[in-house]
């Protein structure tokens, strides 16, 4: 569904991605793990068109989408849950969600999606009229994911969804990600929590300073001794 | 009759409300700090004055042209400046506004004056037909009779009526009245029905009598109004001039009523706009530009669209202003005028519609109330503002709305329609 080929990204003199190649098959969960500053967020931001690619290309459904405008890509069914959530702190939960569905002109469809998101996160329904900024960190993360789901994406890019969450909430979030995936959404997941990320992944890649070092299925990487030592602390 | 001075202040409050609201759309709801809003007011005023006074178009068309011309200028100014942020945007819009003012000043006289009939030319526009003339007799008024009551006009044809336009005006007015009145009745009916249903469930005859009263009332209203409508057409065709459609109201109240309807209509449009998907995108951009981009909101597109909406209404306010003050010239639409609107917005609360009305009211009355104390006037005015900023930095309303209990049923009605209730049930 999504293919990244020999992608290079430069921030001025910083060469953040040095030829990344990866593949995201339809209906699968693909995890990307790596140390801080390895370039994980950069990959997602480049895919969605927030950061320009220096060279290489990104293909989505056999369509070259390298350096396309973000809003065009969202309209094509790619959504990003950004690092640090970036929910609208002064808007209520419902307003946040409705902004997510702004591309949908059909009111019934919006209502339907809202229902789906509330089914996925019952907590958000309870907090419907609460102001985003007063939500707890976990609720904010749910809201960020819910907001992206309002766009009914076919490909969901998640940037560190477990960041700053208590262990039991982390488990919840990963369970939700799996649920979203089971409903047919392809997922590209960036994570610091390597164990959980590899456990739910169909395929996984390890990123080291801008290049993919190790690739394989989630199970293979969990068994890999390098991965164990560097990312699983075993 | 309210004395003329107070009348003018009331009129200015309403026009300033529209003007400030249009700026609040841009600053308060979209977070784009524009400092050149007076330019759009100016364009609106000139456009309407020319269209109505020189070309004898009906007043409503003048207002529409005023809005459109302001939006066109908005496009010219918005495209290059809206890519800028914060202070840069403020400075750039301010610059463009000054340019607009200068262009109006040096504009050749014949565009405004001379052959087209507005005396005074570009530098000073006066003898623009006032609201009271325009509303007394729908349709255009010959310039030589502008500012005069019909009884003061002697001669064969006191009013130069463009009959087709007049007919259209009457028609639009009647339909608009019917819609407003009908909607009000409908809302009242729904509310009553809802209350009755909740209180006395199951008693069919109560509901039926309610329906009877509602429909009966509407029919009675329609029948009694037929006479008025009929009369108005006598007026239109010049058969009997006392039978104009608004001969039932004093001119002063016609003017107030017209402006109240204008303010309500524009507020209603703005509220609906802000609740639409477009409005939400606009507010999202204010909240977090990058997050909005990530959600696929084309940032520039929405900033520009919102800017055009804001400038359109500023132009309408300008059009109304042109017909409410005896004369005006480009110097009136300077930085101070933009700052006035900005202060109204800030005082009331950025992103609050009710706050805007509050700000517009206070800041229209305050300078007038201080008029007696001559040289202290500006000092007190400024000091009041400084104190307000210190003690109420977010304005009186912040970004929240003042909503009394009474229009709750109206809101519920709107929510039903907008699907928000459906969403909460989902
Ligand atoms: N806007 C920017 N300007 C300059 N350098 C940047 C910018 N954004 C990222 N970088 C650099 O690019 C490299 C990769 O950053 P990136 O955010 O992709 O890392 P990451 O893998 O997501 O790290 P983390 O796990 O900490 O989120 C880092 O060295 C970072 O300093
Ligand atoms: Mg990152």
């Amino acid at each position: 569904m999504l293919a990244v080929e020999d992608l290079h990204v430069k921030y001025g003199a910083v060469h953040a991605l040095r030829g990344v190649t990866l593949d995201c098959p339809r209906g699968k969960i693909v995890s990307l793990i790596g140390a801080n500053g390895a370039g994980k967020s950069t990959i997602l931001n480049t895919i969605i068109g927030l950061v320009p690619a220096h060279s290489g290309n990104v293909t989505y459904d056999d369509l070259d989408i390298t350096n396309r405008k973000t809003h065009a890509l969202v309209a094509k069914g790619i959504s990003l849950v950004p690092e640090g959530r970036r929910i609208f702190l002064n808007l209520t939960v419902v307003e946040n969600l409705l902004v997510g569905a702004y591309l949908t002109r059909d009111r019934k469809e919006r209502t339907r999606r809202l229902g789906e998101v509330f089914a996925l996160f019952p907590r958000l329904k309870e907090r419907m009229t609460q102001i985003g900024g007063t939500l707890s960190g976990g609720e904010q993360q749910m809201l960020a994911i819910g907001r992206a789901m309002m766009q009914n994406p076919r490909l969901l890019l998640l940037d560190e969804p477990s960041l700053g969450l208590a262990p039991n909430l982390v488990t919840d979030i990963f369970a939700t990600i799996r649920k979203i995936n089971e409903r047919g959404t392809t997922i590209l997941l960036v994570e610091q929590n390597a164990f959980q990320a590899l456990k739910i992944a169909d395929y996984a890649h390890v990123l080291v300073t801008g290049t993919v070092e190790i690739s394989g299925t989630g199970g293979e990487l969990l068994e890999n001794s390098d991965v164990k030592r560097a990312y699983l602390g075993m | 009759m309210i004395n003329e001075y107070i009348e003018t202040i009331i009129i200015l409050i309403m026009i300033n409300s529209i003007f400030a609201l249009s700026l609040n759309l841009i600053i308060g709801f979209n977070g784009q700090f524009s400092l050149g809003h007076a330019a759009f007011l100016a364009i609106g005023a000139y456009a309407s004055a020319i269209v109505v006074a020189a070309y004898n178009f009906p007043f409503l068309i003048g207002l529409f042209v005023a809005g459109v011309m302001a939006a066109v200028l908005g496009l010219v100014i918005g495209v290059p400046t809206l890519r800028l942020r914060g202070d840069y945007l403020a400075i750039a819009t301010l610059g463009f506004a000054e340019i607009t003012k200068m262009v109006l000043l040096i504009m050749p006289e014949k565009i405004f004056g001379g052959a087209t009939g507005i005396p005074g030319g570009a530098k000073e526009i006066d003898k623009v037909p006032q609201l009271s003339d325009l509303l007394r007799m729908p349709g255009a008024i010959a310039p030589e009779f502008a500012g005069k009551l019909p009884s003061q006009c002697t001669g064969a044809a006191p009013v130069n009526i463009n009959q087709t336009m007049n007919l259209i005006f009457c028609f639009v007015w009647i339909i608009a009245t019917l819609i407003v009145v009908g909607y009000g009745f409908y809302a009242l009916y729904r509310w009553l029905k809802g209350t009755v249903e909740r209180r006395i469930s199951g008693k069919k005859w109560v509901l039926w009598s309610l329906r009877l009263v509602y429909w009966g009332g509407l029919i009675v209203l329609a029948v009694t109004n037929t006479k008025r409508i009929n009369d108005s057409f006598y007026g239109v065709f010049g058969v009997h001039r006392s039978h104009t459609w608004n001969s039932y109201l004093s001119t002063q109240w016609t003017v107030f009523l017209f402006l109240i309807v204008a303010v309500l209509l524009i507020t209603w449009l703005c509220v609906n706009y802000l609740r639409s998907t477009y409005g939400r995108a606009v507010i999202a951009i204010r909240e977090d530009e990058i997050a909005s981009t990530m959600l696929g909101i084309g940032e520039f597109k929405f900033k520009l669209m919102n800017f055009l909406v804001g400038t359109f209404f500023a132009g309408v306010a300008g059009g109304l202003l042109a017909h409410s003050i005896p004369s005006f010239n480009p110097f009136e639409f300077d930085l101070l005028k933009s700052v006035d609107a900005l202060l109204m917005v800030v005082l009331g609360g950025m992103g609050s519609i009710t706050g805007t009305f509050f700000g517009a009211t206070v800041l229209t009355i305050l300078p007038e109330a201080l008029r007696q104390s001559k040289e202290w006037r500006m000092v007190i005015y400024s000091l009041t503002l400084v104190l307000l900023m210190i003690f109420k930095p977010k304005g009186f309303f912040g970004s929240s709305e003042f909503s009394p209990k009474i229009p709750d049923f109206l809101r519920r009605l709107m929510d039903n329609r907008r699907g928000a209730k459906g969403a909460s049930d989902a």
Side-chain angles (χ1 to χ4, degrees):
Chain A
M1 169 168 243
L2 181 86
V4 175
E5 226 187 291
D6 195 28
L7 189 65
H8 287 260
V9 171
K10 291 180 178 170
Y11 295 109
V14 182
H15 200 158
L17 296 186
R18 305 151 187 259
V20 171
T21 300
L22 54 87
D23 203 34
C24 218
R26 189 182 305 275
K28 304 288 184 201
I29 299 182
V30 177
S31 291
L32 263 177
I33 58 173
N36 291 115
K40 306 181 297 293
S41 302
T42 305
I43 292 182
L44 298 190
N45 291 342
T46 312
I47 292 173
I48 197 97
L50 289 169
V51 170
H54 182 259
S55 65
N57 47 54
V58 184
T59 349
Y60 172 74
D61 273 350
D62 301 323
L63 202 75
D64 186 11
I65 56 159
T66 323
N67 293 336
R68 285 283 188 86
K69 288 252 162 58
T70 306
H71 57 92
L73 295 175
V74 173
K76 282 195 183 332
I78 310 180
S79 294
L80 169 70
V81 179
E83 190 172 12
R85 296 151 195 156
R86 294 202 91 115
I87 61 163
F88 300 110
L89 297 173
N90 293 318
L91 302 187
T92 65
V93 169
V94 186
E95 283 167 347
N96 263 281
L97 292 174
L98 288 176
V99 170
Y102 102 102
L103 279 174
T104 320
R105 312 255 66 233
D106 181 4
R107 195 177 293 156
K108 281 212 187 85
E109 173 65 12
R110 278 205 300 266
T111 313
R112 193 187 64 75
R113 289 188 197 170
L114 206 55
E116 266 180 19
V117 169
F118 284 151
L120 213 53
F121 301 106
R123 181 74 75 90
L124 290 184
K125 188 175 181 190
E126 288 165 27
R127 307 277 153 143
M128 214 158 62
T129 53
Q130 194 171 329
I131 299 292
T134 62
L135 293 175
S136 77
E139 289 160 350
Q140 290 191 5
Q141 187 64 58
M142 292 176 200
L143 184 55
I145 298 177
R147 191 179 61 181
M149 290 309 291
M150 288 296 287
Q151 304 177 324
N152 204 12
R154 295 197 295 132
L155 173 65
L156 184 63
L157 311 175
L158 290 158
D159 198 344
E160 303 205 24
S162 75
L163 190 76
L165 300 189
N168 61 333
L169 262 179
V170 173
T171 318
D172 284 355
I173 288 280
F174 277 99
T176 313
I177 293 172
R178 173 162 281 156
K179 232 191 259 172
I180 293 171
N181 173 248
E182 277 162 6
R183 285 204 253 147
T185 310
T186 310
I187 286 173
L188 179 55
L189 170 69
V190 158
E191 257 304 332
Q192 291 285 349
N193 190 328
F195 179 68
Q196 293 272 13
L198 293 178
K199 228 173 67 179
I200 69 163
D202 294 301
Y203 300 101
H205 305 273
V206 177
L207 201 67
V208 179
T209 53
T211 45
V212 176
E213 290 271 291
I214 313 169
S215 301
T217 64
E220 281 167 14
L221 260 65
L222 273 173
E223 296 303 317
N224 185 304
S225 54
D226 290 340
V227 175
K228 270 186 176 169
R229 190 162 8 87
Y231 300 102
L232 300 173
M234 289 193 242
Chain B
M1 285 286 273
I2 301 170
N3 87 43
E4 239 171 71
Y5 177 58
I6 298 193
E7 180 187 339
T8 311
I9 293 177
I10 294 176
I11 290 175
L12 281 180
I13 286 175
M14 295 200 254
I15 293 174
N16 281 337
S17 293
I18 297 174
F19 184 45
L21 181 59
S22 73
L23 183 65
N24 207 348
L25 283 182
I26 298 167
I27 293 189
F29 289 97
N30 196 22
Q32 302 307 309
F33 203 85
S34 160
L35 248 190
H37 217 51
F40 307 110
L41 194 70
I43 293 298
Y46 275 83
S48 187
I50 291 168
V51 167
V52 173
Y55 292 99
N56 270 2
F57 276 103
F59 173 49
L60 280 192
I61 292 193
L63 281 188
F64 183 71
V65 172
V68 169
M69 291 310 286
V72 169
L73 181 70
L75 193 70
V76 172
I77 295 183
V79 168
T81 57
L82 283 173
R83 296 183 196 275
L84 303 170
R85 278 167 202 215
D87 307 346
Y88 299 106
L89 176 64
I91 292 166
T93 47
L94 170 62
F96 270 106
E98 288 301 300
I99 292 171
T100 309
K101 190 179 90 186
M102 295 325 276
V103 169
L104 282 175
L105 261 179
I106 59 172
M107 202 75 120
E109 198 152 307
K110 64 169 173 276
I111 291 185
F112 300 111
T116 56
I118 300 182
K123 306 217 165 34
E124 176 91 13
I125 285 214
D126 58 7
K127 300 217 181 104
V128 175
Q130 300 290 288
L131 281 178
S132 48
D133 311 321
L134 293 164
L135 294 173
R136 173 165 287 276
M137 193 65 204
I141 288 181
E144 62 267 36
F145 296 109
K148 286 186 187 158
L149 293 174
S151 56
Q152 295 170 316
C153 300
T154 49
V159 176
N160 166 19
I161 302 174
N162 178 334
Q163 293 208 354
T164 330
M165 285 304 176
N166 204 3
L167 204 65
I168 294 171
F169 185 102
C170 269
F171 221 73
V172 169
W173 180 259
I174 287 162
I175 289 172
T177 319
L178 282 182
I179 289 173
V180 170
V181 173
Y183 187 79
F185 271 96
Y186 180 68
L188 195 68
Y189 167 66
R190 284 283 303 259
W191 175 70
L192 271 173
K193 201 172 136 231
T195 317
V196 169
E197 268 171 354
R198 248 177 287 121
R199 295 266 158 80
I200 338 165
S201 52
K203 287 196 178 158
K204 279 261 158 59
W205 63 271
V206 181
L207 278 179
W208 274 110
S209 48
L210 201 65
R211 278 191 194 124
L212 197 74
V213 170
Y214 173 64
W215 289 107
L218 270 192
I219 291 168
V220 168
L221 210 78
V223 169
T224 47
N225 264 294
T226 313
K227 190 184 168 325
R228 283 187 192 206
I229 294 166
N230 198 24
D231 286 349
S232 66
F233 283 102
Y234 276 124
V236 172
F237 296 115
V239 174
H240 196 307
R241 71 157 309 122
S242 69
H243 282 242
T244 52
W245 55 274
N246 58 358
S247 59
Y248 293 86
L249 283 172
S250 77
T251 314
Q252 196 173 48
W253 282 104
T254 315
V255 170
F256 288 162
L257 207 66
F258 180 84
L259 285 171
I260 288 171
V261 169
V263 171
L264 286 181
L265 187 71
I266 289 175
T267 310
W268 181 74
L269 286 174
C270 286
V271 168
N272 274 284
Y273 161 68
L274 289 168
R275 284 181 176 200
S276 71
T277 41
Y278 292 111
R280 275 192 226 109
V282 162
I283 294 171
I285 289 171
R286 170 193 75 189
E287 290 295 309
D288 188 337
E289 280 193 22
I290 294 171
S292 313
T293 316
M294 286 176 178
L295 290 176
I297 295 170
E299 190 195 311
F300 178 70
K301 179 180 134 195
F302 279 98
K303 280 188 197 168
L304 185 63
M305 179 204 69
N306 184 64
F307 196 68
L308 296 189
V309 174
T311 52
F312 178 87
F313 288 133
V316 172
L320 290 169
L321 188 68
H323 302 289
S324 305
I325 50 179
S327 69
F328 56 91
N329 62 56
F331 289 111
E332 291 189 24
F333 306 99
D334 58 358
L335 175 63
L336 272 181
K337 197 82 185 175
S338 300
V339 171
D340 272 352
L342 179 65
L343 289 176
M344 289 170 192
V345 169
V346 172
L347 177 72
M350 297 205 205
S352 167
I353 290 178
T354 32
T356 310
F357 297 146
F358 175 77
T361 309
V362 170
L363 291 186
T364 309
I365 293 175
L366 192 63
E368 295 301 331
L370 295 173
R371 203 172 275 271
Q372 280 84 359
S373 44
K374 284 182 192 128
E375 54 285 294
W376 286 99
R377 182 166 157 237
M378 282 326 280
V379 177
I380 297 174
Y381 181 61
S382 316
L383 207 65
T384 319
L385 288 173
V386 170
L387 288 177
L388 280 171
M389 287 309 115
I390 291 172
F391 292 109
K392 283 267 173 203
K394 281 190 162 179
F396 267 88
F397 287 79
S399 62
S400 53
E401 299 292 349
F402 168 75
S403 47
K405 265 273 155 292
I406 310 126
D408 234 29
F409 71 92
L410 272 176
R411 190 153 1 111
R412 219 175 300 138
L413 196 77
M414 263 153 86
D415 285 351
N416 274 341
R417 264 211 355 248
R418 313 230 107 237
K421 185 151 175 291
S424 62
D425 292 343

